[in-house]
Amino acid sequence: MPFLQCIEPSCRVTFETTTRLYTCERCGGLLDVIYDVSVLAAEELKRRWDARLGSKAAADRSGVWRFRELLPEAEPDQIVTMGEGNTQLFDAPRCAEYAGMQRLTFKHLGLNPTGSFKDLGMTTGVTQATRLGAQSVACASTGNTSASMAAYAARAGMKAVIFIPSGQIALGKLSQALDYGATVVQIDGDFDDAMRLVREVTKDSPLYLLNSVNPFRLEGQKSIAFELLQQRDWCVPDRIVVPGGNLGNSSAIAKGLQELLEIGVIDRLPKITIIQANGANPLYQLWQRRQSGEPEPQLLSLKGASTLATAIKIGNPVSWPKSLRGLLASDGLVEQVSEQEIADAKAIIGRDGIGCEPASAVTLAGIKKLVAANSIDPHEDVVAILTGHVLKDPDYVVNYHRGELRYTDKQGEQYLLASNYASQWLHVAAERSAIEAVLPF
Ligand code: F0G
C-alpha cells in the first residue's frame, strides 16, 4: 500500500494516504507518496501500460490513470478524469535551428482538457479529495491551476474557491475558472501572498488544498515522464527541459523518472533542466550559490517577482526542496532568460505551428542560451515541455506581433520589447487592388 513520507532526511516520518495532510505534521517538511516498487516488474508494467492504449475504459484512456500501478489507490468510481494526458510529441525543426540544435522535440501539455499540464495533477488531486470526502477545494494560482481545479471540481460536483493575485492573471485562464463556476477571490497582492493565505485558510477549514504542495497533485504530474517515455518506446532522452515557477512540475517529473529507474523500466536519468524568467528566478539564484561552493544553500524568497510570463511570476516556490533533489539526482542545470529572449522564443515556437503561452517559451529561450554557452551539446536528444496553450494569453501574442509588448521591471523601469519575429499584420482598403498591392506572394 502506498504511504506518505516526509522528505526531510532528519525526519522521514510516515502517514497513511487517508490522512488529510499537506505537509509533515511533525516538522512541516514536504511529503512524498511512496510505493513498494520491489513488487513491480519492468517488463510486465510496460506490457500492461501498452495494452491499455487500446482499451475503451476511462481510466485506461487517461494518460495519468493508465499508469495506476504507480499512483495512489482509488476505486474506479472515485476517479475524476477528463481523459487528460495523451499529448503529442512534436518535432520542431525551426526551433531546433533557432537554438543551434540538430533536432528538438516538444511535448505539448497545453493540449490537455483545460489547456495546461495542471490537468494531470488535478485528476489525482480531485480524486484524492473525493476519497477523503471533501466537498470543496481551494488553490492559489497564477491562472492555470485555478482553471484546471475549477473544471475538475465541477466534474466531481465540488465547490471550488480560487485565490488569484490582483491584475496579474491572463484573461483566458480567469475566464475558464469563472465559466466552470468557481468562486474567485482576488487578493490585493501577488501570487506568493495568495499562496501564503490559502495555506492559512485551508489549515482549519473544510476546504481541501489543491496546490502542488499537496503531494497527490505531483503524483498525477509525474505521468508526464511515464507518457513521454512510453511514446519513445522507453528510449531515454539526454535532457528534459521544463519551465520553473512554483517548482511542482520539475519535482513531479524527477520523481516519476526516479521510480522508473528503481523498477528498471529505464537504465539512466535524463538531465532535468529548469528555466526561469530572470525577474522571477529564486531557484536560479540558489543554484548559482550552490555552484559557487556554498554548502546546502536554502532558497531565499524573492520579493516582487516580475515577468510578463505571469504563470511563473513567483518569488517563493513551495516545492523547491523536491525540485533541487531532482536536479542533483540527474546532474541537471538551472538557467534564467530575459523577457526579450522569452518573447522571441515564443514567436519561433509559433512558427513551427505549435504555439504555447509565454511561460512555456522559456524552454526554447533557455536551450538556445545553454547551447551558446556550450552547456548543451547541439547533438543532444532534448525534449522540452510546453506547459500551456497559446490561447491562454492572447493579449501577449497580439501585443508582440503589433510591436507593443511592454515590460516593467522590478525597479519600475518600462521597456518596449523588440518584435524581432513579428508576423505581418496588414491593414488595407476593402478593395482587391489594395490587397494585391500589399500581398508578399
Ligand atoms: N508553465 C505554466 C503554463 C504554468 O501555469 C506554470 C505554473 C508553470 C509553467 C510552472 O510550473 O509551478 O510547477 O514550476 N502555474 C501555476 C498556476 C503556478 O497557478 O497555474 P511549476
Side-chain angles (χ1 to χ4, degrees):
M1 294 283 257
F3 58 91
L4 292 167
Q5 184 172 44
C6 176
I7 71 163
E8 291 303 323
S10 56
C11 181
R12 297 276 192 229
V13 62
T14 63
F15 306 93
E16 287 181 13
T17 59
T18 45
T19 326
R20 186 168 166 152
L21 264 187
Y22 310 112
T23 49
C24 175
E25 232 168 24
R26 189 199 286 167
C27 78
L30 297 172
L31 297 172
D32 269 335
V33 182
I34 305 285
Y35 305 84
D36 181 5
V37 293
S38 68
V39 299
L40 299 170
E43 287 312 311
E44 171 59 13
L45 273 185
K46 287 194 281 185
R47 195 197 56 72
R48 276 195 216 171
W49 292 344
D50 278 351
R52 287 178 192 151
L53 288 172
S55 161
K56 293 197 172 63
D60 293 348
R61 295 191 71 85
S62 160
V64 174
W65 294 99
R66 179 185 309 145
F67 304 102
R68 55 186 168 272
E69 286 78 2
L70 287 173
L71 291 181
E73 349 55 313
E75 296 301 325
D77 64 347
Q78 292 173 325
I79 292 178
V80 184
T81 175
M82 295 175 77
E84 53 290 316
N86 301 301
T87 55
Q88 293 295 304
L89 287 179
F90 290 106
D91 185 30
R94 288 166 200 84
C95 291
E97 192 189 338
Y98 176 75
M101 297 286 295
Q102 291 250 301
R103 63 188 164 129
L104 183 59
T105 306
F106 286 116
K107 183 160 175 65
H108 202 337
L109 303 176
L111 303 180
N112 270 292
T114 78
S116 85
F117 70 97
K118 304 290 181 178
D119 296 342
L120 305 169
M122 275 313 158
T123 185
T124 46
V126 173
T127 295
Q128 178 66 9
T130 307
R131 222 179 137 215
L132 297 178
Q135 275 154 23
S136 53
V137 289
C139 69
S141 181
T142 57
N144 282 323
T145 300
S146 53
S148 181
M149 190 190 78
Y152 279 80
R155 298 299 307 154
M158 291 177 194
K159 293 201 165 39
V161 184
I162 68 170
F163 291 57
I164 57 166
S166 172
Q168 300 164 29
I169 144 167
L171 224 51
K173 306 174 187 180
L174 177 59
S175 13
Q176 283 182 292
L178 292 168
D179 200 49
Y180 305 140
T183 299
V184 177
V185 182
Q186 188 162 327
I187 309 276
D188 254 347
D190 60 15
F191 171 82
D192 298 307
D193 295 319
M195 189 67 232
R196 178 175 49 79
L197 288 162
V198 79
R199 289 182 76 172
E200 279 175 29
V201 170
T202 51
K203 220 174 195 164
D204 328 289
S205 109
L207 282 170
Y208 184 63
L209 178 64
L210 276 179
N211 277 102
S212 55
V213 65
N214 181 326
F216 293 90
R217 277 274 314 279
L218 300 192
E219 289 312 291
Q221 283 174 217
K222 77 185 181 188
S223 70
I224 296 168
F226 303 163
E227 187 177 276
L228 163 61
L229 281 152
Q230 185 178 33
Q231 285 168 310
R232 293 171 51 102
D233 282 331
W234 311 103
C235 168
V236 181
D238 296 319
R239 191 178 294 277
I240 295 180
V241 183
V242 63
N246 214 15
L247 301 176
N249 214 24
S250 47
S251 304
I253 293 171
K255 181 172 189 281
L257 290 167
Q258 191 68 44
E259 286 168 357
L260 293 184
L261 184 72
E262 278 168 33
I263 299 165
V265 172
I266 57 175
D267 57 6
R268 66 188 176 102
L269 293 174
K271 295 180 164 72
I272 301 276
T273 300
I274 303 175
I275 318 292
Q276 296 202 297
N278 64 11
N281 65 353
L283 183 73
Y284 175 79
Q285 292 193 20
L286 176 143
W287 190 250
Q288 291 301 104
R289 300 207 318 275
R290 209 171 191 290
Q291 299 302 87
S292 58
E294 194 178 316
E296 314 244 339
Q298 301 291 299
L299 185 127
L300 301 175
S301 92
L302 187 79
K303 287 274 165 287
S306 151
T307 170
L308 292 176
T310 49
I312 51 172
K313 189 171 170 183
I314 295 172
N316 193 13
V318 171
S319 294
W320 72 266
K322 287 183 177 176
S323 190
L324 182 62
R325 178 178 71 180
L327 283 165
L328 297 177
S330 73
D331 187 24
L333 273 178
V334 184
E335 184 54 279
Q336 63 170 357
V337 289
S338 70
E339 293 300 306
Q340 185 67 56
E341 289 168 321
I342 299 171
D344 287 340
K346 190 179 128 42
I348 300 293
I349 295 168
R351 293 267 177 100
D352 255 324
I354 298 171
C356 64
E357 68 163 282
S360 308
V362 300
T363 51
L364 179 60
I367 293 166
K368 181 176 168 65
K369 194 166 171 183
L370 289 165
V371 171
N374 291 324
S375 301
I376 294 184
D377 185 305
H379 301 278
E380 273 184 35
D381 179 3
V382 175
V383 180
I385 306 295
L386 298 180
T387 45
H389 198 281
V390 63
L391 292 176
K392 289 282 190 174
D393 193 352
D395 286 345
Y396 184 104
V397 184
V398 171
N399 285 334
Y400 179 86
H401 289 281
R402 69 175 175 201
E404 288 178 12
L405 191 59
R406 288 189 169 75
Y407 169 61
T408 307
D409 71 11
K410 259 183 253 162
Q411 287 72 40
E413 197 84 40
Q414 201 185 82
Y415 302 88
L416 178 66
L417 299 184
S419 298
N420 294 319
Y421 301 93
S423 297
Q424 279 196 302
W425 185 352
L426 307 169
H427 295 257
V428 296
E431 288 162 17
R432 179 174 174 169
S433 59
I435 294 169
E436 284 173 351
V438 296
L439 277 189
F441 27 70

